[in-house]
C-alpha cells in the first residue's frame, strides 16, 4: 500500500510540475477551435488538438488524482486468480523479510564504503 501511495504522490507531483505553466486552470481555451477559426494549416490544427487533449488529461489528473490502487487491482486480479499462479497466493508473506534483508545489505555496503 505504501508503494502505491508513493507512486500516486510522484504522479501528482509530476503532474503539478507540468501544469504549472497553464495560466488559468478554470478557463482553458480550446486551441483546436481557435486554429480552425483562423484557417490555419491542418498540421497546426492537429497540433492544437493534441495540446488540448494533453491539457485536458493534465487538469483531470491534477484535480482528482489517479486511482492507482484500483488500476493495480484491475490489472492483477485476473492473473492472480489463474490456477497456474497459485504459488503466488502467499507472496505477500515474503515481502517483510525481503525488505529487511535489502536494508541490511544496504547498510553493510555503506559500512564497507566508509
Amino acid at each position: 500500500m505504501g508503494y502505491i501511495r508513493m507512486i500516486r504522490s510522484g504522479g501528482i507531483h509530476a503532474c503539478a510540475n507540468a501544469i504549472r505553466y497553464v495560466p488559468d486552470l478554470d478557463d482553458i481555451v480550446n486551441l483546436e477551435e481557435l486554429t480552425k477559426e483562423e484557417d490555419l494549416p491542418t498540421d497546426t490544427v492537429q497540433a492544437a488538438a493534441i495540446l488540448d487533449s494533453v491539457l485536458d488529461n493534465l487538469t483531470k489528473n491534477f484535480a482528482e488524482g489517479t486511482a492507482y490502487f484500483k488500476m493495480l487491482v484491475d490489472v492483477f486480479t485476473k492473473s492472480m486468480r489463474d490456477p497456474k499462479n497459485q504459488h503466488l497466493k502467499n507472496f505477500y508473506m515474503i515481502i517483510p523479510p525481503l525488505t529487511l534483508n535489502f536494508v541490511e545489505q544496504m547498510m553493510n555496503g555503506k559500512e564497507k564504503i566508509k
Side-chain angles (χ1 to χ4, degrees):
M1 194 65 172
Y3 176 72
I4 294 167
R5 288 183 180 146
M6 183 180 66
I7 295 292
R8 181 177 183 268
S9 177
I12 291 173
H13 179 72
C15 188
N17 283 340
I19 206 159
R20 69 180 171 193
Y21 300 107
V22 179
D24 187 8
L25 293 177
D26 296 327
D27 185 31
I28 297 179
V29 179
N30 189 333
L31 297 173
E32 183 180 15
E33 289 178 9
L34 290 176
T35 54
K36 285 181 181 178
E37 288 174 6
E38 296 295 323
D39 274 341
L40 294 174
T42 56
D43 291 339
T44 306
V45 174
Q46 288 175 348
I50 292 170
L51 182 58
D52 284 339
S53 68
V54 167
L55 289 174
D56 185 47
N57 190 19
L58 278 174
T59 54
K60 183 185 79 160
N61 288 341
F62 184 72
E64 65 189 39
T66 304
Y68 288 103
F69 185 69
K70 184 180 180 324
M71 285 176 21
L72 285 172
V73 168
D74 292 343
V75 167
F76 289 108
T77 299
K78 185 177 177 183
S79 62
M80 291 302 286
R81 289 187 179 154
D82 192 0
K84 70 178 183 180
N85 293 328
Q86 267 324 76
H87 64 284
L88 296 175
K89 184 176 181 180
N90 296 324
F91 179 73
Y92 68 93
M93 292 172 53
I94 67 170
I95 297 298
L98 284 175
T99 305
L100 290 174
N101 184 18
F102 176 74
V103 170
E104 288 174 356
Q105 291 299 320
M106 293 299 292
M107 290 173 62
N108 288 338
K110 189 175 180 179
E111 288 176 3
K112 287 180 182 178
I113 291 175
K114 289 181 181 180

